[in-house]
Amino acid sequence: MPPKTPSTIPASKAGSSSSTPKGASSNAISSLWTAYSEETPAKLKLIDAFLFFLMLSGIIQFVYCILISSFPYNTFLAGFASCVGQFVLTASLRSQVNPSNKDEFKDVSPERAFADFALGSVVLHFFVFNFL
């Protein structure tokens, strides 16, 4: 079999490269955002907004501790652990109430998932408060 030269490479593969142009990546992001906006239920968008807030809050606390001060170190640990724990509980709630995951959570109703989330949040914040 002769080695492939530019004249023997199919035209569909001749122009492809390993890097994508900026237009293609922005097109992918816009199509991802459009699909998310159109197909995601409103209650999942609310949960996603809360997850974003928790992530942003944890990042701000971490940056503050690194750049400014970690003087009451227990306070930083309690606040950061609260953000991380609440993020995990909220992500679990999101996966349980997502309609596309109904097959995986057959025995868990949305009300039961929210009750588990609420009880877990109370227990988490009880421990965080006692750590302070």
Side-chain angles (χ1 to χ4, degrees):
M1 181 178 227
K4 290 189 176 187
T5 61
S7 61
T8 61
I9 297 175
S12 63
K13 292 186 179 181
S16 66
S17 65
S18 62
S19 64
T20 60
K22 285 186 178 183
S25 63
S26 68
N27 187 24
I29 291 171
S30 69
S31 66
L32 178 68
W33 180 256
T34 303
Y36 174 78
S37 299
E38 293 173 357
E39 297 175 11
T40 305
K43 65 181 175 181
L44 289 183
K45 288 180 185 177
L46 182 65
I47 293 173
D48 290 341
F50 186 55
L51 285 170
F52 180 74
F53 166 74
L54 289 170
M55 182 180 66
L56 194 63
S57 178
I59 289 170
I60 289 171
Q61 288 179 25
F62 187 74
V63 168
Y64 181 86
C65 178
I66 297 295
L67 295 179
I68 297 177
S69 172
S70 65
F71 167 59
Y73 193 65
N74 284 355
T75 345
F76 163 71
L77 287 179
F80 193 74
S82 175
C83 284
V84 171
Q86 195 66 43
F87 187 91
V88 169
L89 289 171
T90 309
S92 174
L93 174 68
R94 187 192 193 286
S95 68
Q96 290 179 4
V97 299
N98 191 349
S100 63
N101 292 344
K102 278 289 186 201
D103 295 336
E104 294 179 30
F105 299 103
K106 293 177 187 172
D107 300 333
V108 180
S109 68
E111 294 81 15
R112 166 73 190 272
F114 185 75
D116 291 344
F117 168 76
L119 181 65
S121 295
V122 167
V123 170
L124 169 71
H125 287 92
F126 176 74
F127 282 112
V128 166
F129 185 73
N130 281 327
F131 187 71
L132 290 174

